[in-house]
Amino acid sequence: MPKVGYQVEKMDGSPIPDDDNGRLVTILSIDGGGVRGVIPGYILAFLEAELQKLDGADARIVDYFDYIAGASTGGIVTAMLTKPSTQDGQPCAAKEINTFYREKGPKIFSEEAENLNISKQYVESYVSRLEESESTWFRKKIKGCISRAMKVGAWLGAKSLASLYSSEPLEEAITEILGDFRLADTLTNVVIPAYDVARLQPVIFSTQQVGMAKRKKSAVKLADVIMSTTAAPYYFRPHKFSVGGENYTLIDGGIAANNPCDSSNMMLWIIQTIFAMNEVSRMNAHKTSTAIEDPDYSKFLVLSLGTGSGKLDGHEVLDGGLLGWFNPLTGSPPLVDVLFRASDAMVDRCTSLILGRHNCLHNFLRVQDSTLPGNQTKLHDASKDNIDALESIAKELLNQSIKVVNPASGLHETPNGSLFVNGRVPTNREAITCFARRLSAERRRRAEQ
């Protein structure tokens, strides 16, 4: 691979000193958020296009990142990017991500996928037993009223017990793109969290763990991992599977990321971005037999992509009752929105604390829109109009100024323009272009060794 023929600079526009070039660990982290995965899908397609300008049309996202981490819908994106090459010999192109959401989203979140069939079967079974029973003249007269009342009761009961959507369309879509590929088959290291509701413990599926426990986890199918991390409570039923004599009952990885652990070390294993960084340090320490208590996080280059969020002023949840927490009328239900947003905020704040303010500005790029209107915050609106709107939001997001996390407050803030060479805060588009240059330079450096 030829040497870099362009200036490689930091996000502030200053050139990177020779002694700082290379030796980077590259990490991509993608949030959960249902259909809102369209937003990082669009951003990744832009990043890949920039990489192709530098390194040719065959450049793929998976070629540039040491670790790719994703929870929930971010897990789908992770699996698509890292699955073994398709029939044309090329890994999945980033532009295929939003094709997946457009083609499969309406089927996964369709009216047909709703679990009305469960309640219908329950109701029909009850009515059939009632009609077969011997009835008095009085019961015959009121049987119609009873059956109608019981139909309503049975429907409400079954609907409250069942998930909003059947998992079958989702499983068909995931199996179609992943087939029988295993977690161990991914083209780069992956980190995908889930939560075991039977054990009340987070489960982190990673390529690193596969290498350390081959007999138990090398047989894990990538499709099972993705079905687990996307099993959002209320929307889909928990995903169950067995491997290596171990049984799993798993739900959305976003729940794992929100688990309040006592140990800060455990926090690193739970939050997907931080966990990826920790996993890299563990892997490098294993290779070099060195201690990992104080890894050099200044050598981490991290791109974190959000799926958008809204309601900056918080939620009105009435008196904190069931209706208040699950009211979907203003977008996604408040409880779901709070859980996902708490996860995102914790990832950002912990990452900024670990990297430090200086390295956070130069080595950590977070791209997120926190001002989505209510209609676009829904996890399950896969209509063409909504997907078009989400892509438009992602396009506009590229033109917005970058924001960095204040480690003290945890808030996203526009950095001071004086920190940049030209006195102007770059846009996300400019920052990602800069990021692409650094990724390309790192890949070329490795190829020359």
Side-chain angles (χ1 to χ4, degrees):
M1 186 175 288
K3 292 185 177 181
V4 179
Y6 47 80
Q7 177 78 23
V8 180
E9 72 279 353
K10 296 182 179 180
M11 275 188 282
D12 65 354
S14 62
I16 298 176
D18 291 337
D19 58 352
D20 282 349
N21 271 300
R23 303 190 307 277
L24 292 173
V25 177
T26 55
I27 297 172
L28 169 63
S29 178
I30 308 143
D31 291 1
V35 174
R36 300 201 311 261
V38 166
I39 294 176
Y42 187 93
I43 302 296
L44 287 169
F46 173 77
L47 171 61
E48 190 167 271
E50 292 300 302
L51 292 169
Q52 289 172 348
K53 291 177 183 178
L54 299 170
D55 297 330
D58 291 338
R60 294 291 184 270
I61 293 290
V62 70
D63 299 327
Y64 295 85
F65 287 96
D66 298 309
Y67 267 72
I68 301 181
S72 193
T73 201
I76 295 178
V77 175
T78 297
M80 289 185 68
L81 293 175
T82 63
K83 69 175 183 175
S85 301
T86 54
Q87 293 180 351
D88 63 2
Q90 292 292 328
C92 177
K95 63 183 180 182
E96 295 179 28
I97 296 169
N98 283 3
T99 299
F100 171 84
Y101 286 112
R102 286 187 178 277
E103 292 181 353
K104 304 301 182 183
K107 298 177 182 178
I108 294 169
F109 297 111
S110 66
E111 291 184 6
E112 290 77 9
E114 292 190 39
N115 284 317
L116 298 178
N117 60 314
I118 297 177
S119 57
K120 181 179 179 181
Q121 292 174 1
Y122 184 93
V123 172
E124 289 178 348
S125 174
Y126 176 85
V127 173
S128 176
R129 289 196 302 271
L130 178 63
E131 291 176 345
E132 291 174 358
S133 64
E134 294 183 3
S135 302
T136 63
W137 177 86
F138 177 73
R139 289 181 64 186
K140 288 181 180 179
K141 291 294 184 182
I142 66 172
K143 184 173 65 173
C145 296
I146 294 176
S147 64
R148 284 192 292 272
M150 290 306 298
K151 282 182 181 180
V152 174
W155 186 88
L156 291 174
K159 193 63 178 174
S160 64
L161 293 174
S163 58
L164 182 59
Y165 294 100
S166 168
S167 298
E168 291 180 7
L170 175 62
E171 190 164 12
E172 289 176 3
I174 296 302
T175 302
E176 181 179 329
I177 61 173
L178 299 181
D180 292 325
F181 290 133
R182 302 170 303 160
L183 179 62
D185 296 329
T186 54
L187 299 178
T188 192
N189 301 297
V190 301
V191 180
I192 301 173
Y195 191 82
D196 195 320
V197 293
R199 297 181 178 87
L200 298 181
Q201 289 290 331
V203 177
I204 306 296
F205 293 100
S206 75
T207 311
Q208 174 72 8
Q209 287 183 338
V210 169
M212 296 173 64
K214 290 183 178 179
R215 288 183 301 173
K216 182 176 291 187
K217 295 194 175 181
S218 62
V220 175
K221 288 185 177 182
L222 192 54
D224 280 322
V225 175
I226 302 308
M227 285 300 298
S228 300
T229 196
T230 55
Y234 172 66
Y235 292 96
F236 298 106
R237 66 173 182 265
H239 184 65
K240 298 180 180 181
F241 69 96
S242 299
V243 63
E246 208 165 340
N247 299 319
Y248 293 96
T249 304
L250 303 174
I251 61 173
D252 196 319
I255 303 301
N258 284 307
N259 189 37
C261 295
D262 296 329
S263 166
S264 59
N265 290 330
M266 188 62 180
M267 186 68 77
L268 298 180
W269 284 70
I270 293 174
I271 302 177
Q272 62 195 37
T273 306
I274 311 302
F275 178 77
M277 296 167 67
N278 194 49
E279 281 288 274
V280 174
S281 297
R282 288 168 57 84
M283 184 171 65
N284 291 340
H286 177 71
K287 290 180 180 179
T288 60
S289 300
T290 58
I292 62 170
E293 284 77 8
D294 297 305
D296 185 3
Y297 287 118
S298 68
K299 299 302 181 183
F300 284 80
L301 187 62
V302 182
L303 174 61
S304 176
L305 302 180
T307 59
S309 63
K311 306 178 181 65
L312 285 174
D313 296 327
H315 281 285
E316 292 291 338
V317 293
L318 303 179
D319 294 323
L322 189 64
L323 179 61
W325 279 112
F326 283 93
N327 176 23
L329 297 180
T330 58
S332 60
L335 182 59
V336 174
D337 198 48
V338 167
L339 286 175
F340 276 105
R341 188 151 185 171
S343 170
D344 298 346
M346 188 65 75
V347 170
D348 296 345
R349 193 164 187 175
C350 288
T351 303
S352 64
L353 285 170
I354 285 181
L355 290 177
R357 194 170 184 85
H358 175 77
N359 292 319
C360 190
L361 177 62
H362 300 300
N363 287 13
F364 174 45
L365 176 60
R366 171 68 170 170
V367 182
Q368 170 72 317
D369 188 334
S370 300
T371 61
L372 294 186
N375 290 339
Q376 271 70 62
T377 62
K378 293 181 179 179
L379 307 180
H380 59 297
D381 184 356
S383 65
K384 181 181 182 302
D385 287 346
N386 190 54
I387 290 178
D388 287 344
L390 290 171
E391 284 200 339
S392 296
I393 288 170
K395 184 177 181 179
E396 178 57 31
L397 181 58
L398 286 175
N399 297 323
Q400 296 177 11
S401 298
I402 66 167
K403 287 182 169 47
V404 297
V405 180
N406 185 327
S409 66
L411 298 177
H412 288 75
E413 302 173 349
T414 301
N416 193 311
S418 63
L419 297 173
F420 299 87
V421 171
N422 59 8
R424 180 181 62 84
V425 178
T427 63
N428 286 315
R429 182 185 300 274
E430 293 168 329
I432 291 174
T433 299
C434 172
F435 209 95
R437 288 177 177 269
R438 297 189 68 183
L439 289 172
S440 175
E442 174 62 18
R443 187 184 180 210
R444 289 166 181 263
R445 182 195 66 80
R446 296 182 188 186
E448 293 169 0
Q449 288 185 341

